[in-house]
Structure formats: C-alpha cells, structure tokens
Amino acid sequence: MADKNFISSEPLFFKIVYGLTFLAFLYVLYEMLFLQAEQQSQPLKLIVLALFGVFFIRKGLSGMRQK
C-alpha cells in the first residue's frame, strides 16, 4: 500500500490554501516577466512568500512528527 504524502494528509482548508498559493505564484511570475515594475503588485509578492513559508513550516513539522 502506498504511503500517505504530505498534501493528502492535510485538512481541506490547507489544501485549498496551497492550491491558491500555487496559482498566486504563477500570477506573480507572470507579473515579473511581462509587466513593468510600476505595474507589479508588491503586497501580493509578500503574501505569496508568507504562504510558501506556512507550507514549508507545516511540511517540516509533519516530517518531524512522522520520525
């Protein structure tokens, strides 16, 4: 039987947050590549960075609990 991965063991709320984080990351990447610096949204970059931080902290804590 396959082991449970990190995403499948998370509650639905965090699965949705991780999905939105990935979509927001793609949008920020689009802004960085195709828009001028004045048109880019700086707060969105900080929000995406913070959400990735939450993801990696929860993933690290999950890994520590399994060991």
Side-chain angles (χ1 to χ4, degrees):
M1 185 170 189
D3 292 333
K4 290 174 64 174
N5 63 13
F6 170 70
I7 297 294
S8 67
S9 65
E10 288 288 290
L12 180 62
F13 173 75
F14 286 108
K15 289 179 186 178
I16 292 170
V17 169
Y18 299 152
L20 290 175
T21 301
F22 180 70
L23 290 175
F25 170 75
L26 291 178
Y27 182 73
V28 167
L29 189 61
Y30 159 77
E31 281 187 345
M32 291 175 64
L33 293 176
F34 297 110
L35 296 180
Q36 299 296 324
E38 305 84 40
Q39 297 172 327
Q40 295 177 5
S41 58
Q42 295 297 338
L44 184 60
K45 291 179 184 178
L46 295 175
I47 291 169
V48 169
L49 185 63
L51 289 174
F52 270 118
V54 169
F55 170 76
F56 285 113
I57 288 171
R58 287 188 58 85
K59 189 172 181 179
L61 290 174
S62 173
M64 289 182 356
R65 274 184 278 163
Q66 288 178 355
K67 291 183 179 184

